[in-house]
Amino acid sequence: MDGVFGDINENILLILDYSNSMHEDFWGKTKYQVLLESLKIILSHISPNQNIGLRIYGYKWGFTPYDACKATKLFVPVEKNNVENILSTTSSLSPRGMTPITYSLKLAVQKDFKNITGDKHIILITDGGENCD
């Protein structure tokens, strides 16, 4: 059975905000805790046959602000059967850096989806705006 989110012929890339502001309070929890709880709910509806990947920004601080604004990484390439990889990756990191949304989206389009055919979707989960570009 296919998952609720997406068709198995579609490709989904999650881009998650791990910037320092995710430590802020949001109704008695940190924004990071809310992110992880929401992600578990979303991923529980993803079929193992669904192509899904994960890019995270703000997961580290750079030596300079320029370095911090390049702190975005494709942690899990867009492939089938990736839900557990995504969950383990997201729980192993801690928010700490800047918010390079534009740079992350640029890499998603130019690199992460480069050799992938079919429909492509980006789901960006963030608590705020760009502070790098």
mmCIF file of all heavy atoms in Angstrom, residues 76-109:
data_model
loop_
_atom_site.group_PDB
_atom_site.id
_atom_site.type_symbol
_atom_site.label_atom_id
_atom_site.label_comp_id
_atom_site.label_asym_id
_atom_site.label_seq_id
_atom_site.Cartn_x
_atom_site.Cartn_y
_atom_site.Cartn_z
ATOM 1 N N VAL A 76 20.639 12.207 3.779
ATOM 2 C CA VAL A 76 20.025 10.981 3.282
ATOM 3 C C VAL A 76 19.590 11.237 1.838
ATOM 4 O O VAL A 76 18.671 12.023 1.604
ATOM 5 C CB VAL A 76 18.814 10.568 4.148
ATOM 6 C CG1 VAL A 76 18.177 9.291 3.625
ATOM 7 C CG2 VAL A 76 19.203 10.417 5.620
ATOM 8 N N PRO A 77 20.259 10.611 0.863
ATOM 9 C CA PRO A 77 19.875 10.803 -0.541
ATOM 10 C C PRO A 77 18.442 10.328 -0.800
ATOM 11 O O PRO A 77 17.917 9.465 -0.087
ATOM 12 C CB PRO A 77 20.877 9.934 -1.308
ATOM 13 C CG PRO A 77 21.995 9.691 -0.366
ATOM 14 C CD PRO A 77 21.412 9.721 1.010
ATOM 15 N N VAL A 78 17.824 10.884 -1.827
ATOM 16 C CA VAL A 78 16.451 10.546 -2.183
ATOM 17 C C VAL A 78 16.414 9.129 -2.760
ATOM 18 O O VAL A 78 16.878 8.891 -3.879
ATOM 19 C CB VAL A 78 15.875 11.565 -3.194
ATOM 20 C CG1 VAL A 78 14.459 11.191 -3.604
ATOM 21 C CG2 VAL A 78 15.924 12.976 -2.622
ATOM 22 N N GLU A 79 15.889 8.216 -1.955
ATOM 23 C CA GLU A 79 15.779 6.797 -2.335
ATOM 24 C C GLU A 79 14.601 6.177 -1.607
ATOM 25 O O GLU A 79 14.050 6.755 -0.679
ATOM 26 C CB GLU A 79 17.059 6.042 -1.955
ATOM 27 C CG GLU A 79 18.295 6.515 -2.664
ATOM 28 C CD GLU A 79 19.568 5.840 -2.153
ATOM 29 O OE1 GLU A 79 19.546 5.242 -1.056
ATOM 30 O OE2 GLU A 79 20.584 5.940 -2.842
ATOM 31 N N LYS A 80 14.282 4.957 -1.978
ATOM 32 C CA LYS A 80 13.234 4.192 -1.301
ATOM 33 C C LYS A 80 13.727 3.709 0.063
ATOM 34 O O LYS A 80 14.916 3.615 0.313
ATOM 35 C CB LYS A 80 12.827 2.990 -2.154
ATOM 36 C CG LYS A 80 12.146 3.362 -3.457
ATOM 37 C CD LYS A 80 11.795 2.129 -4.243
ATOM 38 C CE LYS A 80 11.194 2.383 -5.593
ATOM 39 N NZ LYS A 80 10.806 3.669 -6.003
ATOM 40 N N ASN A 81 12.775 3.396 0.932
ATOM 41 C CA ASN A 81 13.046 2.758 2.220
ATOM 42 C C ASN A 81 13.985 3.588 3.101
ATOM 43 O O ASN A 81 14.918 3.057 3.698
ATOM 44 C CB ASN A 81 13.600 1.350 2.000
ATOM 45 C CG ASN A 81 13.354 0.449 3.188
ATOM 46 O OD1 ASN A 81 12.457 0.688 3.981
ATOM 47 N ND2 ASN A 81 14.166 -0.569 3.310
ATOM 48 N N ASN A 82 13.740 4.880 3.206
ATOM 49 C CA ASN A 82 14.633 5.789 3.927
ATOM 50 C C ASN A 82 14.088 6.320 5.248
ATOM 51 O O ASN A 82 14.760 7.102 5.912
ATOM 52 C CB ASN A 82 14.964 6.997 3.050
ATOM 53 C CG ASN A 82 16.295 6.853 2.374
ATOM 54 O OD1 ASN A 82 17.131 6.066 2.778
ATOM 55 N ND2 ASN A 82 16.491 7.630 1.334
ATOM 56 N N VAL A 83 12.905 5.926 5.648
ATOM 57 C CA VAL A 83 12.288 6.503 6.837
ATOM 58 C C VAL A 83 13.158 6.311 8.075
ATOM 59 O O VAL A 83 13.406 7.254 8.827
ATOM 60 C CB VAL A 83 10.868 5.939 7.052
ATOM 61 C CG1 VAL A 83 10.319 6.319 8.420
ATOM 62 C CG2 VAL A 83 9.935 6.433 5.955
ATOM 63 N N GLU A 84 13.656 5.114 8.309
ATOM 64 C CA GLU A 84 14.492 4.865 9.487
ATOM 65 C C GLU A 84 15.799 5.663 9.425
ATOM 66 O O GLU A 84 16.272 6.164 10.451
ATOM 67 C CB GLU A 84 14.770 3.380 9.667
ATOM 68 C CG GLU A 84 13.557 2.583 10.122
ATOM 69 C CD GLU A 84 12.933 3.112 11.410
ATOM 70 O OE1 GLU A 84 13.683 3.453 12.357
ATOM 71 O OE2 GLU A 84 11.693 3.207 11.466
ATOM 72 N N ASN A 85 16.383 5.774 8.232
ATOM 73 C CA ASN A 85 17.597 6.580 8.082
ATOM 74 C C ASN A 85 17.336 8.041 8.448
ATOM 75 O O ASN A 85 18.165 8.689 9.096
ATOM 76 C CB ASN A 85 18.124 6.508 6.649
ATOM 77 C CG ASN A 85 18.626 5.150 6.264
ATOM 78 O OD1 ASN A 85 19.005 4.358 7.114
ATOM 79 N ND2 ASN A 85 18.625 4.865 4.976
ATOM 80 N N ILE A 86 16.204 8.545 8.028
ATOM 81 C CA ILE A 86 15.847 9.939 8.324
ATOM 82 C C ILE A 86 15.620 10.122 9.822
ATOM 83 O O ILE A 86 16.126 11.071 10.421
ATOM 84 C CB ILE A 86 14.624 10.374 7.492
ATOM 85 C CG1 ILE A 86 15.018 10.456 6.007
ATOM 86 C CG2 ILE A 86 14.054 11.697 7.990
ATOM 87 C CD1 ILE A 86 13.861 10.646 5.057
ATOM 88 N N LEU A 87 14.883 9.216 10.436
ATOM 89 C CA LEU A 87 14.617 9.333 11.870
ATOM 90 C C LEU A 87 15.892 9.246 12.700
ATOM 91 O O LEU A 87 16.083 10.019 13.644
ATOM 92 C CB LEU A 87 13.618 8.263 12.314
ATOM 93 C CG LEU A 87 12.181 8.471 11.850
ATOM 94 C CD1 LEU A 87 11.331 7.256 12.177
ATOM 95 C CD2 LEU A 87 11.587 9.726 12.463
ATOM 96 N N SER A 88 16.775 8.331 12.354
ATOM 97 C CA SER A 88 18.012 8.200 13.143
ATOM 98 C C SER A 88 18.926 9.413 12.938
ATOM 99 O O SER A 88 19.567 9.880 13.886
ATOM 100 C CB SER A 88 18.747 6.901 12.817
ATOM 101 O OG SER A 88 19.201 6.893 11.495
ATOM 102 N N THR A 89 18.957 9.948 11.730
ATOM 103 C CA THR A 89 19.784 11.135 11.463
ATOM 104 C C THR A 89 19.264 12.347 12.225
ATOM 105 O O THR A 89 20.035 13.064 12.865
ATOM 106 C CB THR A 89 19.834 11.432 9.956
ATOM 107 O OG1 THR A 89 20.393 10.319 9.278
ATOM 108 C CG2 THR A 89 20.661 12.676 9.670
ATOM 109 N N THR A 90 17.967 12.571 12.160
ATOM 110 C CA THR A 90 17.410 13.762 12.797
ATOM 111 C C THR A 90 17.567 13.727 14.315
ATOM 112 O O THR A 90 17.764 14.770 14.938
ATOM 113 C CB THR A 90 15.928 13.964 12.441
ATOM 114 O OG1 THR A 90 15.196 12.769 12.747
ATOM 115 C CG2 THR A 90 15.772 14.307 10.972
ATOM 116 N N SER A 91 17.507 12.560 14.903
ATOM 117 C CA SER A 91 17.634 12.485 16.364
ATOM 118 C C SER A 91 19.093 12.513 16.822
ATOM 119 O O SER A 91 19.369 12.725 17.999
ATOM 120 C CB SER A 91 16.927 11.241 16.899
ATOM 121 O OG SER A 91 17.528 10.082 16.389
ATOM 122 N N SER A 92 20.033 12.315 15.906
ATOM 123 C CA SER A 92 21.451 12.295 16.290
ATOM 124 C C SER A 92 22.120 13.666 16.210
ATOM 125 O O SER A 92 23.238 13.832 16.680
ATOM 126 C CB SER A 92 22.219 11.301 15.412
ATOM 127 O OG SER A 92 22.326 11.779 14.092
ATOM 128 N N LEU A 93 21.444 14.638 15.640
ATOM 129 C CA LEU A 93 22.008 15.977 15.483
ATOM 130 C C LEU A 93 21.324 16.958 16.433
ATOM 131 O O LEU A 93 20.241 16.680 16.941
ATOM 132 C CB LEU A 93 21.824 16.458 14.044
ATOM 133 C CG LEU A 93 22.506 15.628 12.965
ATOM 134 C CD1 LEU A 93 22.044 16.095 11.597
ATOM 135 C CD2 LEU A 93 24.009 15.722 13.087
ATOM 136 N N SER A 94 21.959 18.101 16.619
ATOM 137 C CA SER A 94 21.396 19.140 17.477
ATOM 138 C C SER A 94 21.463 20.481 16.754
ATOM 139 O O SER A 94 22.468 20.791 16.123
ATOM 140 C CB SER A 94 22.187 19.205 18.781
ATOM 141 O OG SER A 94 21.673 20.205 19.614
ATOM 142 N N PRO A 95 20.399 21.275 16.844
ATOM 143 C CA PRO A 95 20.416 22.595 16.221
ATOM 144 C C PRO A 95 21.504 23.477 16.814
ATOM 145 O O PRO A 95 21.737 23.447 18.014
ATOM 146 C CB PRO A 95 19.033 23.164 16.550
ATOM 147 C CG PRO A 95 18.191 21.988 16.863
ATOM 148 C CD PRO A 95 19.112 20.983 17.476
ATOM 149 N N ARG A 96 22.170 24.270 15.941
ATOM 150 C CA ARG A 96 23.205 25.151 16.479
ATOM 151 C C ARG A 96 23.640 26.278 15.557
ATOM 152 O O ARG A 96 24.341 27.158 15.983
ATOM 153 C CB ARG A 96 24.430 24.361 16.882
ATOM 154 C CG ARG A 96 25.143 23.667 15.734
ATOM 155 C CD ARG A 96 26.230 22.781 16.226
ATOM 156 N NE ARG A 96 25.581 21.873 17.144
ATOM 157 C CZ ARG A 96 26.166 21.015 17.947
ATOM 158 N NH1 ARG A 96 27.440 20.921 17.957
ATOM 159 N NH2 ARG A 96 25.489 20.240 18.733
ATOM 160 N N GLY A 97 23.292 26.282 14.320
ATOM 161 C CA GLY A 97 23.894 27.227 13.387
ATOM 162 C C GLY A 97 22.977 28.308 12.870
ATOM 163 O O GLY A 97 22.046 28.741 13.527
ATOM 164 N N MET A 98 23.265 28.730 11.657
ATOM 165 C CA MET A 98 22.553 29.800 10.969
ATOM 166 C C MET A 98 21.401 29.214 10.136
ATOM 167 O O MET A 98 21.131 28.025 10.215
ATOM 168 C CB MET A 98 23.521 30.570 10.073
ATOM 169 C CG MET A 98 24.688 31.203 10.816
ATOM 170 S SD MET A 98 24.220 32.627 11.783
ATOM 171 C CE MET A 98 24.182 33.862 10.495
ATOM 172 N N THR A 99 20.792 30.071 9.290
ATOM 173 C CA THR A 99 19.612 29.676 8.517
ATOM 174 C C THR A 99 19.833 29.929 7.023
ATOM 175 O O THR A 99 19.283 30.876 6.455
ATOM 176 C CB THR A 99 18.371 30.450 9.012
ATOM 177 O OG1 THR A 99 18.290 30.333 10.427
ATOM 178 C CG2 THR A 99 17.098 29.903 8.401
ATOM 179 N N PRO A 100 20.617 29.093 6.361
ATOM 180 C CA PRO A 100 20.864 29.285 4.924
ATOM 181 C C PRO A 100 19.785 28.619 4.051
ATOM 182 O O PRO A 100 20.026 27.632 3.360
ATOM 183 C CB PRO A 100 22.231 28.631 4.726
ATOM 184 C CG PRO A 100 22.261 27.536 5.739
ATOM 185 C CD PRO A 100 21.505 28.069 6.921
ATOM 186 N N ILE A 101 18.601 29.185 4.074
ATOM 187 C CA ILE A 101 17.489 28.597 3.320
ATOM 188 C C ILE A 101 17.757 28.659 1.817
ATOM 189 O O ILE A 101 17.625 27.650 1.112
ATOM 190 C CB ILE A 101 16.159 29.298 3.657
ATOM 191 C CG1 ILE A 101 15.796 29.069 5.130
ATOM 192 C CG2 ILE A 101 15.032 28.782 2.757
ATOM 193 C CD1 ILE A 101 14.596 29.869 5.606
ATOM 194 N N THR A 102 18.114 29.825 1.321
ATOM 195 C CA THR A 102 18.329 29.991 -0.125
ATOM 196 C C THR A 102 19.411 29.046 -0.637
ATOM 197 O O THR A 102 19.231 28.364 -1.652
ATOM 198 C CB THR A 102 18.707 31.455 -0.441
ATOM 199 O OG1 THR A 102 17.675 32.308 0.039
ATOM 200 C CG2 THR A 102 18.898 31.661 -1.933
ATOM 201 N N TYR A 103 20.520 28.983 0.064
ATOM 202 C CA TYR A 103 21.627 28.109 -0.342
ATOM 203 C C TYR A 103 21.200 26.644 -0.309
ATOM 204 O O TYR A 103 21.521 25.866 -1.214
ATOM 205 C CB TYR A 103 22.832 28.362 0.563
ATOM 206 C CG TYR A 103 24.069 27.594 0.171
ATOM 207 C CD1 TYR A 103 24.688 27.804 -1.060
ATOM 208 C CD2 TYR A 103 24.626 26.659 1.037
ATOM 209 C CE1 TYR A 103 25.824 27.097 -1.421
ATOM 210 C CE2 TYR A 103 25.766 25.949 0.677
ATOM 211 C CZ TYR A 103 26.355 26.172 -0.539
ATOM 212 O OH TYR A 103 27.482 25.460 -0.897
ATOM 213 N N SER A 104 20.434 26.255 0.698
ATOM 214 C CA SER A 104 19.965 24.870 0.800
ATOM 215 C C SER A 104 19.028 24.506 -0.346
ATOM 216 O O SER A 104 19.136 23.426 -0.933
ATOM 217 C CB SER A 104 19.254 24.657 2.145
ATOM 218 O OG SER A 104 20.144 24.860 3.213
ATOM 219 N N LEU A 105 18.120 25.414 -0.674
ATOM 220 C CA LEU A 105 17.204 25.168 -1.787
ATOM 221 C C LEU A 105 17.959 25.081 -3.111
ATOM 222 O O LEU A 105 17.647 24.241 -3.960
ATOM 223 C CB LEU A 105 16.138 26.259 -1.852
ATOM 224 C CG LEU A 105 15.083 26.214 -0.746
ATOM 225 C CD1 LEU A 105 14.261 27.498 -0.742
ATOM 226 C CD2 LEU A 105 14.195 24.994 -0.896
ATOM 227 N N LYS A 106 18.945 25.937 -3.275
ATOM 228 C CA LYS A 106 19.765 25.923 -4.493
ATOM 229 C C LYS A 106 20.463 24.563 -4.648
ATOM 230 O O LYS A 106 20.440 23.965 -5.727
ATOM 231 C CB LYS A 106 20.794 27.045 -4.425
ATOM 232 C CG LYS A 106 21.699 27.145 -5.615
ATOM 233 C CD LYS A 106 22.668 28.320 -5.433
ATOM 234 C CE LYS A 106 23.664 28.390 -6.555
ATOM 235 N NZ LYS A 106 24.598 29.512 -6.385
ATOM 236 N N LEU A 107 21.061 24.057 -3.577
ATOM 237 C CA LEU A 107 21.732 22.757 -3.641
ATOM 238 C C LEU A 107 20.739 21.623 -3.870
ATOM 239 O O LEU A 107 21.048 20.657 -4.578
ATOM 240 C CB LEU A 107 22.541 22.508 -2.369
ATOM 241 C CG LEU A 107 23.765 23.396 -2.185
ATOM 242 C CD1 LEU A 107 24.441 23.095 -0.853
ATOM 243 C CD2 LEU A 107 24.751 23.225 -3.327
ATOM 244 N N ALA A 108 19.574 21.734 -3.284
ATOM 245 C CA ALA A 108 18.549 20.701 -3.480
ATOM 246 C C ALA A 108 18.190 20.568 -4.956
ATOM 247 O O ALA A 108 18.142 19.462 -5.499
ATOM 248 C CB ALA A 108 17.305 21.036 -2.661
ATOM 249 N N VAL A 109 17.968 21.697 -5.590
ATOM 250 C CA VAL A 109 17.580 21.693 -7.005
ATOM 251 C C VAL A 109 18.749 21.302 -7.901
ATOM 252 O O VAL A 109 18.615 20.472 -8.799
ATOM 253 C CB VAL A 109 17.011 23.076 -7.405
ATOM 254 C CG1 VAL A 109 16.802 23.164 -8.910
ATOM 255 C CG2 VAL A 109 15.714 23.349 -6.660
#
